Amino acid sequence: MLDPWLQFAVTLTAAIVIAVIVSFIVTGIVRLIARRHDWPGDLVRRARRPFRAVVLVVAVWAGIGLAFPRELRDEWMPPLTQTLTIAVILASAWLLSALVSFATDLALGRHRIDVPDNRHARRIRTQTLIVRRLALVLIVVVAIGAILLTFPAVRTVGASLLASAGIASIVAGLAAQSVLANIFAGVQLVFSDALRVDDVVVVEGEWGRIGEITLSYVVVDLWDERRLVLPCTHFTTQPFENWTRQGSELLGAVEIDVDWRVLPARMRRHLDEILADTDLWDGRTSVLQVTDAVGGLVRVRILVSARDAPTLFDLRCRVREDMVVWVQQAMPGAVPAQRVLLADAAKEGTEDGGAARGGDGHRVTHDLPADEADDHGSGLFTGSADAERRASTFTQAIPIVPVDGAGDPRR
């Protein structure tokens, strides 16, 4: 008959050895699977330590329960059992957290957002991150609650609190009203697909991308590398612009004020040359129109399109710069100028039959080639199939019938 303490040491050592062997067997099986796939290797790296901790604690608990000396069981077993229970709870929470992180990272790796068409991937990424945070918080809360329930005093207090659970829930709800509102708002934003990570938004007058969505706040990465932190309830109670809700393609306008001697037809042709020479334009929209002609200037608006907001900004700057340089070189008379009409000049203009003179005193003529005088190009809502499609959006798709004999369209 062995000494009780020697028997306990042998049993405990055997349990630990068995736990180590089981751990190595499981790791070997997973590594064998990893030869054909990539994810088992990552699973081993993530879950190896917490799995070994769970197996080792369970083995120690089994060894103590089987061979602990009988004369000390009544005194030492209750605190040892409670300690081992807490250790199992902590190791299990660690293992579950590692498994949740591995599963969510695996889902994120399969949906990349560094590709052009990433709307679906951004939705999956946003929802996955929120689900991971919820799961980790739930694991921590359950683990803490389970640990507290191992203490008899806490169980007694918990039983007494159940009698007043209604009042306690009302008080807790009132105290944590803003916190709970933000949590529910964050879940609503994610699963309603109203906001996703990497969405381009305009909020509080600032332009930026959604960098992070948590259970309580949203971080917006602004264009100048600042960070705007807003509560989740701001996006459920206040309006904001989402430029990538359905797609990233955008239209942008460039407005230029020029002199009345400008030739829009030549500007339109040069716009085509500018867009043909850059990769920033996506080829969808190219419109040049005169939108205003008051106050001594003519306002020319150029409408172009690009694949996303940053590209559109660079394209607008490119078009504006090239058009300004071209107007200075090709049509210097179209550069904005202020004119002063003197009394003698007015009288001379009357004697000459009302001929207009420019700011430099020279007569301004308007003899244009026929092709330039009649070339109005395609408009934003007329002149091409895309323009007609845009027009139907604002006219509720009212069909356009052929013109009658007088040439007036009937709608």
Side-chain angles (χ1 to χ4, degrees):
M1 187 61 113
L2 296 176
D3 182 80
W5 285 104
L6 180 59
Q7 183 179 359
F8 169 68
V10 172
T11 304
L12 185 61
T13 303
I16 294 175
V17 171
I18 293 174
V20 173
I21 294 174
V22 170
S23 177
F24 276 105
I25 291 176
V26 174
T27 302
I29 294 175
V30 176
R31 290 187 181 277
L32 183 63
I33 300 175
R35 295 180 179 180
R36 298 182 179 180
H37 305 280
D38 295 333
W39 61 265
D42 190 19
L43 176 61
V44 170
R45 289 190 295 271
R46 295 288 188 90
R48 178 174 53 196
R49 292 182 179 179
F51 176 75
R52 290 179 178 177
V54 171
V55 174
L56 183 61
V57 172
V58 171
V60 171
W61 197 352
I64 292 177
L66 291 174
F68 195 77
R70 295 182 180 274
E71 61 273 12
L72 299 177
R73 281 181 175 270
D74 295 338
E75 181 180 358
W76 288 96
M77 281 302 293
L80 285 176
T81 301
Q82 182 179 4
T83 303
L84 292 173
T85 302
I86 294 175
V88 169
I89 293 174
L90 292 176
S92 301
W94 186 14
L95 178 60
L96 289 176
S97 300
L99 293 177
V100 169
S101 299
F102 164 74
T104 53
D105 287 343
L106 185 64
L108 294 176
R110 293 181 177 179
H111 298 84
R112 299 173 53 189
I113 62 175
D114 56 346
V115 294
D117 188 11
N118 60 358
R119 187 173 68 88
H120 177 71
R122 287 187 286 111
R123 179 174 63 85
I124 297 297
R125 182 181 183 86
T126 303
Q127 294 178 355
T128 302
L129 290 176
I130 288 295
V131 169
R132 178 165 70 180
R133 290 190 178 96
L134 285 174
L136 293 178
V137 170
L138 182 62
I139 290 172
V140 172
V141 171
V142 172
I144 294 176
I147 291 173
L148 292 177
L149 289 177
T150 60
F151 296 93
V154 175
R155 288 200 298 267
T156 303
V157 173
S160 63
L161 287 177
L162 290 177
S164 58
I167 299 177
S169 62
I170 295 176
V171 173
L174 293 176
Q177 183 177 3
S178 60
V179 176
L180 294 176
N182 279 316
I183 292 176
F184 289 126
V187 175
Q188 176 185 348
L189 284 175
V190 171
F191 289 97
S192 65
D193 203 23
L195 199 65
R196 300 175 294 262
V197 174
D198 207 44
D199 269 350
V200 177
V201 298
V202 177
V203 58
E204 293 291 323
E206 300 284 356
W207 180 91
R209 290 182 178 272
I210 300 298
E212 184 180 3
I213 302 178
T214 68
L215 294 177
S216 57
Y217 61 87
V218 177
V219 179
V220 183
D221 299 334
L222 302 182
W223 66 274
D224 55 359
E225 299 184 356
R226 290 180 295 151
R227 302 294 183 268
L228 182 63
V229 181
L230 297 170
C232 292
T233 53
H234 179 87
F235 292 90
T236 57
T237 58
Q238 300 293 330
F240 65 94
E241 298 181 23
N242 190 338
W243 289 10
T244 54
R245 177 64 176 80
Q246 296 294 337
S248 60
E249 299 83 3
L250 291 173
L251 298 177
V254 176
E255 293 186 335
I256 302 176
D257 290 334
V258 292
D259 193 80
W260 280 68
R261 287 178 286 184
V262 70
L263 301 178
R266 294 184 61 186
M267 293 186 67
R268 193 171 291 115
R269 287 197 294 269
H270 184 65
L271 174 62
D272 295 337
E273 297 175 1
I274 295 175
L275 297 179
D277 191 42
T278 179
D279 296 332
L280 302 176
W281 184 49
D282 62 358
R284 293 187 302 116
T285 303
S286 171
V287 177
L288 188 147
Q289 293 176 314
V290 178
T291 58
D292 206 352
V294 295
L297 295 174
V298 173
R299 175 159 296 180
V300 176
R301 190 181 74 163
I302 301 171
L303 193 65
V304 292
S305 60
R307 61 180 177 270
D308 52 36
T311 306
L312 178 63
F313 180 82
D314 292 339
L315 178 61
R316 291 170 60 196
C317 295
R318 170 74 178 273
V319 170
R320 186 182 296 110
E321 178 180 347
D322 289 354
M323 193 62 72
V324 168
V325 174
W326 180 82
V327 169
Q328 293 174 351
Q329 296 176 353
M331 289 192 300
V335 176
Q338 294 183 349
R339 294 178 174 82
V340 178
L341 182 63
L342 301 178
D344 293 343
K347 182 178 179 181
E348 180 182 355
T350 303
E351 293 175 354
D352 291 343
R357 295 181 180 273
D360 53 0
H362 292 85
R363 186 184 300 271
V364 178
T365 60
H366 300 279
D367 297 332
L368 300 177
D371 57 342
E372 294 187 0
D374 297 334
D375 182 13
H376 297 288
S378 61
L380 177 59
F381 300 111
T382 57
S384 66
D386 292 338
E388 296 293 342
R389 177 178 53 79
R390 285 191 293 270
S392 65
T393 303
F394 293 95
T395 58
Q396 298 182 353
I398 298 175
I400 300 176
V401 300
V403 297
D404 58 7
D408 295 329
R410 297 177 181 177
R411 295 180 180 269

